Amino acid sequence: MTTISNPKAFLTSLFDAAVSAADPAGTISRYLPKLPKGRTIVVGAGKASAQMARAFENVWDGPLEGLVVTRYGFSTPCERIEIIEAAHPVPDAAGFEASTRILETVEGLTEDDLVVALISGGGSALLPSPPNGLSLEDEFAVNRVLLASGAPISSMNTVRKHVSAIKGGRLAVAAYPAKVVSLLVSDIPGDHPQFIASGPTVADAANRQDALRIVGQYGMELPAAVMAHLNSSNADAPQPDDLKLVRAEHHIIASAAKSLESAADIAQKAGIEAAIISDAIEGESREAARTQAAMAKEILHRNRPFNKPVVLLSGGETTVTIKGKGKGGPNTEFLLSLAMDINGEANIHALSADTDGIDGSEDNAGAFVDGGTIAKMREAGMDPVTFLENNDAWSAFNQIGELFVPGPTGTNVNDFRAILIS
Amino acid sequence: MTTISNPKAFLTSLFDAAVSAADPAGTISRYLPKLPKGRTIVVGAGKASAQMARAFENVWDGPLEGLVVTRYGFSTPCERIEIIEAAHPVPDAAGFEASTRILETVEGLTEDDLVVALISGGGSALLPSPPNGLSLEDEFAVNRVLLASGAPISSMNTVRKHVSAIKGGRLAVAAYPAKVVSLLVSDIPGDHPQFIASGPTVADAANRQDALRIVGQYGMELPAAVMAHLNSSNADAPQPDDLKLVRAEHHIIASAAKSLESAADIAQKAGIEAAIISDAIEGESREAARTQAAMAKEILHRNRPFNKPVVLLSGGETTVTIKGKGKGGPNTEFLLSLAMDINGEANIHALSADTDGIDGSEDNAGAFVDGGTIAKMREAGMDPVTFLENNDAWSAFNQIGELFVPGPTGTNVNDFRAILIS
């Protein structure tokens, strides 16, 4: 049986692999299309689009022009691609201007031209684009109603795609007959391109009747002009067999899933089986920890549902409901709760860290815990329960020297958790 | 690939198997010792001990006498075994009287005699028994300090065993030279006999020095008389190699783990792989559901860490922090939260139910959900979010006719959850 002599170094190597797999600068070159005879136009939208734009222009061996839109504060300096900032998650007029300019940029192209679409999470809010006859306020109203509806993301996207001039494949249709190659950083469980940023370059099978059914099912009260639009054939979105979309290509260049798979590869090369339990864990951080602790103990004591040694890997984004006044983020709070539940158990070691390198407000990405962490805190005179109640997990780990501080990574596919049971 | 034509019937069959495996009346006959030449004395303690006593006397083909202690309100009529009630989880004088009488009952036996100890969860609190020189109030004080210490259950038990005249194998030592056979209903992850009810018939390797170390580590402020006791050899507990314990036998006759294994067998016979993820899930019900929903979706969309079709099984006891005024229990609250996260996903079906047949205050054990549950609620004009916020999951499932009402089962190994992904 493989033993890991230095669990912290092992867990860190998994984090490094996850981050490396999530960095467009490292992965984009694997997905480059051929140089076209004609022009190369880069467009894009999303929280990672500026970073993707820089990565693309650094490796693209030909002329290019274009613009991408990202969230306020998320710009990265680019030399050839224009970066526009707009509001997220509630759209604003800057986003409208960006989507209008993006649509103009891809108009009038020929079949010798290439459009590279750099799409990442958040792109839907960054591309408000009301269709003919509707106002920007109408589209904002749709977004507000959707967010309050309780409908799943797939249903929300179906409605959005039918109240937009750019989403649901319409950007790719506008670019026809140019070839459209979409490079995507996914923040969506399942990594289906049609769900990332409401799929501006991807059609899906949902149609206008589906959108109307969802509006009725969730009792969505939309503006009268929007309802009139949805009841007209103007709202029809392109379908997957649309001839203007058949040349479109899509490549996921980074995702939580790919990051977890990369970490799993590294674990397996070290002789440790890896179980990816989810790339999309959500909910209260300290509570998510309780289920993962129970699973770790089941493996430790009963070798099920996996044989030891094994590392449980998960992604996603948990949240902290702040009640106290301490310092910390979702990852350290997850870990402090986990440490309590595995207290006294030998042979469980865990790392949880934000793949962007920053967990919350301090300079750490996360921390390390094991079955001795709580004893270490108590020996230092600390009461872990009090620290957790005060949302002060950062201080708890800082005092015992167990913070994990790799520095900003320059990428983000949400949280990374690894629990080694050996 | 096996398909399940009726998911509700399938999930119900798993619940039935879990309950059947947890019923002492059904399992105790498999663990009966041989009839002794001498007397048969039955003793016991725990929340299930009255029920175990009845099951035992119904199948015991010989004379017997004895007494067991259970929680107030947990009595079951027995013909030959006396049932005493006492306080749980905070001990009282009735428990002290019970443990004193139990120790008296097993004194003066011969090696031809048999002691059957019926032990289940809760037995530790039901058997206060201060050792020589200490008062009942001293032992109560120890219990209060332990519960407030944040120490893991195994550490708490180590201290308890060294401040008791009956725990940590001392009951079995008192019964020497009679043969002692312990039949146990486990509520402890791992089902280690020394942790169930603080192991009155089981020694473990922890000694008095370990107890003192734990007291120091957790800063436990114990009464001076207790500390004097712990610092004397009077506190030494029997060790596993104690000659007075070598004839003792232990059999787990029911546990959450056995129930889950029984359900897994039934699933596998129906052609569906089963993954037992934990027999001891704890934490806020609605939050535990979020992680399990994420896992179910990972399996559905990516076939990992298990291939479809598979049923995820878990036990344990989640809790509900009540903020609203509705009706419901941990199982329905788990399910309402789960239903929201799997909303719109085909091919996920779940049952969560209390193995005692009653989830909370109403007459249901749990409920059924699938990817269409939320749509069904919305079509009935209900807002699931409001029902969850009001802790009113029972009403939500009642209104759509999805409650699961098997009636009281007469046993209890906590909650049973099964999520079928196909």
Side-chain angles (χ1 to χ4, degrees), chain A residues 380-399:
Chain A
M382 302 152 62
D383 175 16
V385 177
T386 304
F387 279 81
L388 186 58
E389 280 174 359
N390 196 30
N391 300 119
D392 202 16
W394 179 87
S395 300
F397 290 111
N398 185 45
Q399 285 193 39

Side-chain angles (χ1 to χ4, degrees), chain B residues 124 142 146 151-164 167-168 170 194-195 198 204-215 220 230 235 237 239:
Chain B
S124 189
V142 171
L146 286 173
I153 183 76
S154 56
S155 297
M156 288 200 275
N157 272 336
T158 296
V159 177
R160 282 188 179 122
K161 287 172 188 180
H162 293 87
V163 191
S164 171
K167 298 182 169 92
R170 287 188 176 83
Q194 71 267 32
F195 296 140
S198 296
D204 70 31
N207 59 30
R208 187 162 61 86
Q209 306 309 326
D210 295 318
L212 284 166
R213 187 179 45 75
I214 291 163
V215 168
M220 296 171 180
L230 281 174
Q239 290 293 292

Side-chain angles (χ1 to χ4, degrees), chain A residues 154-231:
Chain A
S154 57
S155 297
M156 289 200 275
N157 271 335
T158 295
V159 177
R160 283 188 180 122
K161 286 172 188 181
H162 293 87
V163 191
S164 170
I166 196 167
K167 298 182 169 92
R170 287 189 177 83
L171 174 61
V173 168
Y176 182 84
K179 180 170 179 65
V180 178
V181 174
S182 301
L183 305 182
L184 304 111
V185 172
S186 172
D187 63 341
I188 298 286
D191 294 342
H192 298 295
Q194 71 267 31
F195 296 141
I196 304 168
S198 296
T201 58
V202 198
D204 70 30
N207 59 30
R208 186 162 61 86
Q209 306 310 326
D210 296 318
L212 284 166
R213 188 179 45 74
I214 290 162
V215 168
Q217 183 182 331
Y218 288 90
M220 296 172 181
E221 297 188 4
L222 299 177
V226 172
M227 288 310 296
H229 171 76
L230 281 173
N231 279 302

